[in-house]
Amino acid sequence: MTLYDELVARGLIAQVTNEDEIKDMINNGKAVFYIGFDPTADSLHVGHFMALCLMKRLQMAGNKPIALIGGGTAMIGDPSGRTDMRQMMTKETIQHNCDCFKQQMSRFIDFSDDKALMVNNADWLLDLNYVEVLREVGAHFSVNRMLTAECYKQRMEKGLSFLEFNYMIMQSYDFYTLFQKYGCNMQFGGDDQWSNMLGGTELIRRKLGKDAYAMTINLLLNSEGKKMGKTQSGAVWLDPNKTSPFDFYQYWRNVSDSDVLKCLRMLTFLPLEQIDDMDKWEGSQLNQAKEILAYELTALVHGEEEAKKAQEGARALFSGGNTENMPVAEITEADLKDGVIDIMGLLVAAGLCPTRSEARRAVEQGGVTVNGEKVTDVKAIYTPDAINAEEFVLKRGKKKFCKIVAK
């Protein structure tokens, strides 16, 4: 099976331009391709994860990735999939986020010996003057055609700012610049970026009379409203200080039965034959598939040691075994009132509920346990000595839990 055929079999390819040329380039290690990452936060999240895995697959086959950090385009903001305008960030915040991205990407991509490049589009976009953009780039874009793009149509009802309207032009100029400076001949992106990507291929053709190619990848769970990377508590980050390896593991351990094989194909590097064998699995076997998925992805992001700890901690919760690797929440004197803490305070202090009112509802609905015993009294209280007397495991629902320690 060729690399391109494997990408198709894994469900990664949504649409391409010039498929025959793309197949030849990818399969023979001739692609110099880029994927863009706008630094809208100080950490990558699992929504970026598929792109990073794709870059890794292609690099392993001899192709050269370019990670484009959008320090320039972040000054505008991508309207794709948005119903409102993105918050404007300062140059200092954008630069800080760019630096964080670079560090995290190095876990996936080998940047040594010119095997990959990491560039920032601020290096060329911020030096452009307005008249130059209008003459050299804007002249090649039809406003009528741009307005038919899905990313703009979604915003027309509530209002599309002229600032955001320029995003397609900026992204197209990125591809044009990368083509000229680095020989970049292919761009990848999520399927919601198709219009922007076609703009880049067309700009190269019009200005240089040469061909460049575009390929979009299926955004995982995109058809369900971009749920990728979202939980009740917010985004799932690749930074262990924002999402712990244990919580990262639990996110993937708790994917739906219908998504587990899709995730295994798209995101892991397990052989397709092994994953295809799991098609026959059902019932409790699907839980085993979820464990495999969670372990593989946690190891990829955080390393084998953290993946083992996370797996052991998760298993301990359900088996009543060793809780050593379970996430820990510390209760301090500041959390106590008259030397005790009630169950609602415990849930909030442990981060299992954002507010006391939500904690109350969780208890009243029967979704809270302490050491396996359901807590039904919202007035239940605990002393530090009682908490430390034995392993104290607090659980909300089926997926949120931690070990409590009083300091």
Side-chain angles (χ1 to χ4, degrees), residues 271-389:
L272 277 172
E273 295 81 4
Q274 180 180 347
I275 300 172
D276 289 342
D277 287 342
M278 298 180 192
D279 272 329
K280 310 178 188 68
W281 291 9
E282 56 186 23
S284 61
Q285 286 181 307
L286 286 176
N287 289 329
Q288 183 182 346
K290 293 177 186 180
E291 278 201 347
I292 294 171
L293 172 69
Y295 183 89
E296 291 293 324
L297 299 189
T298 306
L300 186 61
V301 175
H302 298 295
E304 292 280 349
E305 182 177 353
E306 292 297 334
K308 290 178 181 176
K309 289 180 180 179
Q311 187 176 69
E312 291 170 2
R315 288 176 174 175
L317 175 75
F318 297 103
S319 66
N322 189 347
T323 62
E324 178 182 356
N325 294 313
M326 191 176 294
V328 175
E330 293 185 352
I331 304 302
T332 66
E333 189 173 345
D335 298 309
L336 304 177
K337 184 176 181 180
D338 298 329
V340 299
I341 184 170
D342 63 18
I343 187 64
M344 293 180 289
L346 271 179
L347 288 164
V348 173
L352 302 186
C353 290
T355 63
R356 286 181 62 87
S357 59
E358 185 168 325
R360 173 184 288 273
R361 286 194 296 272
V363 173
E364 292 175 342
Q365 293 169 2
V368 177
T369 64
V370 169
N371 293 338
E373 297 291 330
K374 184 177 293 187
V375 179
T376 57
D377 183 2
V378 294
K379 296 181 180 179
I381 58 174
Y382 306 88
T383 65
D385 289 342
I387 291 173
N388 291 334

Side-chain angles (χ1 to χ4, degrees), residues 16 23 55 72 91 93 113 120 130 138 168 194 196 218 225 236-237 291 294 312 318 322 348 361 375 388 406:
V16 302
K23 283 182 179 180
M55 294 174 81
K91 290 183 179 180
T93 297
D113 303 322
N120 188 332
Y130 187 60
M168 180 185 292
W194 186 238
N196 293 343
N218 270 312
V236 178
W237 304 98
E291 278 201 347
E312 291 170 2
F318 297 103
N322 189 347
V348 173
R361 286 194 296 272
V375 179
N388 291 334

Side-chain angles (χ1 to χ4, degrees), residues 128-176:
L128 290 171
N129 65 60
Y130 187 60
V131 173
E132 182 182 2
V133 172
L134 291 178
R135 287 177 57 89
E136 299 299 322
V137 185
H140 299 285
F141 286 81
S142 162
V143 171
N144 290 345
R145 185 173 178 182
M146 291 173 70
L147 289 175
T148 64
E150 193 64 32
C151 60
Y152 291 142
K153 287 166 63 178
Q154 294 174 359
R155 291 293 311 280
M156 291 300 289
E157 291 185 8
K158 289 195 173 183
L160 176 70
S161 73
F162 183 71
L163 180 73
E164 297 168 289
F165 188 64
N166 282 273
Y167 191 91
M168 180 185 292
I169 295 175
M170 297 295 95
Q171 183 170 331
S172 300
Y173 189 76
D174 283 343
F175 195 15
Y176 170 74

Side-chain angles (χ1 to χ4, degrees), residues 14 43 76 88 113 120 134 186 216 228 269 293 320 343 392:
S43 172
I76 296 177
M88 300 290 283
D113 303 322
N120 188 332
L134 291 178
M186 194 178 300
T216 64
M228 180 73 164
F269 289 79
L293 172 69
I343 187 64
F392 193 101

Side-chain angles (χ1 to χ4, degrees), residues 5-243:
D5 290 338
E6 181 178 352
L7 296 179
V8 172
R10 288 183 178 274
L12 288 167
I13 306 302
Q15 49 194 339
V16 302
T17 62
N18 308 78
E19 186 176 41
D20 289 340
E21 289 91 338
I22 287 177
K23 283 182 179 180
D24 176 68
M25 295 168 71
I26 287 178
N27 292 337
N28 293 291
K30 296 186 292 186
V32 180
F33 68 96
Y34 95 88
I35 298 180
F37 301 83
D38 273 356
T40 54
D42 59 359
S43 172
L44 297 164
H45 54 72
V46 299
H48 299 113
F49 193 46
M50 182 182 294
L52 293 170
C53 291
L54 180 63
M55 294 174 81
K56 184 178 179 71
R57 289 184 202 280
L58 291 166
Q59 187 181 49
M60 290 169 62
N63 298 287
K64 183 175 182 176
I66 299 176
L68 177 65
I69 306 298
T73 40
M75 300 290 287
I76 296 177
D78 182 5
S80 300
R82 307 254 330 161
T83 57
D84 57 359
M85 184 170 164
R86 292 184 186 273
Q87 182 179 357
M88 300 290 283
M89 297 184 295
T90 65
K91 290 183 179 180
E92 292 75 19
T93 297
I94 291 172
Q95 184 57 53
H96 171 71
N97 294 349
C98 288
D99 294 339
C100 294
F101 276 25
K102 288 180 181 179
Q103 183 177 2
Q104 291 180 341
M105 285 182 181
S106 296
R107 289 191 60 89
F108 297 86
I109 311 302
D110 181 5
F111 291 98
S112 66
D113 303 322
D114 201 39
K115 295 174 184 174
L117 295 176
M118 185 176 293
V119 296
N120 188 332
N121 64 13
D123 294 341
W124 55 84
L125 291 181
L126 299 188
D127 290 336
L128 290 171
N129 65 60
Y130 187 60
V131 173
E132 182 182 2
V133 172
L134 291 178
R135 287 177 57 89
E136 299 299 322
V137 185
H140 299 285
F141 286 81
S142 162
V143 171
N144 290 345
R145 185 173 178 182
M146 291 173 70
L147 289 175
T148 64
E150 193 64 32
C151 60
Y152 291 142
K153 287 166 63 178
Q154 294 174 359
R155 291 293 311 280
M156 291 300 289
E157 291 185 8
K158 289 195 173 183
L160 176 70
S161 73
F162 183 71
L163 180 73
E164 297 168 289
F165 188 64
N166 282 273
Y167 191 91
M168 180 185 292
I169 295 175
M170 297 295 95
Q171 183 170 331
S172 300
Y173 189 76
D174 283 343
F175 195 15
Y176 170 74
T177 302
L178 293 172
F179 185 95
Q180 288 189 294
K181 292 184 67 173
Y182 305 108
C184 180
N185 50 34
M186 194 178 300
Q187 59 178 326
F188 287 77
D191 57 6
D192 60 345
Q193 293 289 312
W194 186 238
S195 297
N196 293 343
M197 295 167 69
L198 290 181
T201 60
E202 182 67 9
L203 181 62
I204 291 170
R205 187 188 67 80
R206 284 176 175 268
K207 288 186 68 67
L208 302 176
K210 297 180 179 179
D211 290 326
Y213 309 102
M215 176 187 296
T216 64
I217 57 176
N218 270 312
L219 290 176
L220 189 62
L221 309 185
N222 191 49
S223 61
E224 299 178 23
K226 286 190 176 179
K227 291 193 292 185
M228 180 73 164
K230 297 293 183 180
T231 67
Q232 288 182 338
S233 58
V236 178
W237 304 98
L238 304 193
D239 183 345
N241 295 315
K242 296 171 76 72
T243 297

